[in-house]
Amino acid sequence: MDFTVQDAQDSTEIRLHGRMTFSDHDTFRSVIAAFERPAGHRMVFDLSGLDFVDSSGLGMFIIARDTAQKKSLDFAMRGARDDVHRLITVAKLHKMFTIDA
């Protein structure tokens, strides 16, 4: 998995690319480091470039959401497509996360 971080005044967009698997745990720590923002800041995961997510990847999304909640950040995901979208739905994560259109 690769990622890019794009900051705006009130939000940060983290774009994920490729495959998100157990082997990406160390890389994901760098993603979580981007959560050092003031309370109320919006963190958005753009999943449109993500081709695959395994169960460990789903767990990383939960870690991100929990981290955002602890820091009083607004957390959302958007752009999931195909298999990634199906897996998020099957795991019922769409009920845990804000999903932007």
Side-chain angles (χ1 to χ4, degrees):
M1 172 193 76
D2 294 314
F3 72 96
T4 57
V5 177
Q6 185 174 359
D7 283 311
Q9 184 174 349
D10 295 329
S11 66
T12 298
E13 181 178 271
I14 300 170
R15 293 181 181 170
L16 303 177
H17 309 276
R19 298 172 54 87
M20 188 173 181
T21 65
F22 177 77
S23 65
D24 293 307
H25 245 276
D26 287 337
T27 302
F28 198 73
R29 289 183 190 167
S30 299
V31 171
I32 294 299
F35 282 52
E36 292 301 320
R37 303 292 191 259
H41 192 83
R42 184 167 176 80
M43 304 297 295
V44 179
F45 275 7
D46 181 341
L47 308 180
S48 61
L50 205 56
D51 300 318
F52 174 81
V53 176
D54 69 5
S55 59
S56 294
L58 294 177
M60 287 182 244
F61 289 146
I62 293 170
I63 290 168
R65 187 213 49 181
D66 291 349
T67 301
Q69 286 178 342
K70 287 177 189 172
K71 296 178 180 285
S72 299
L73 302 172
D74 184 21
F75 180 77
M77 297 191 309
R78 74 164 172 243
R81 46 186 185 88
D82 303 329
D83 291 338
V84 174
H85 181 266
R86 271 190 292 282
L87 190 57
I88 288 171
T89 303
V90 167
K92 300 197 185 300
L93 293 184
H94 63 288
K95 294 181 178 191
M96 295 176 67
F97 299 114
T98 300
I99 308 290
D100 290 349

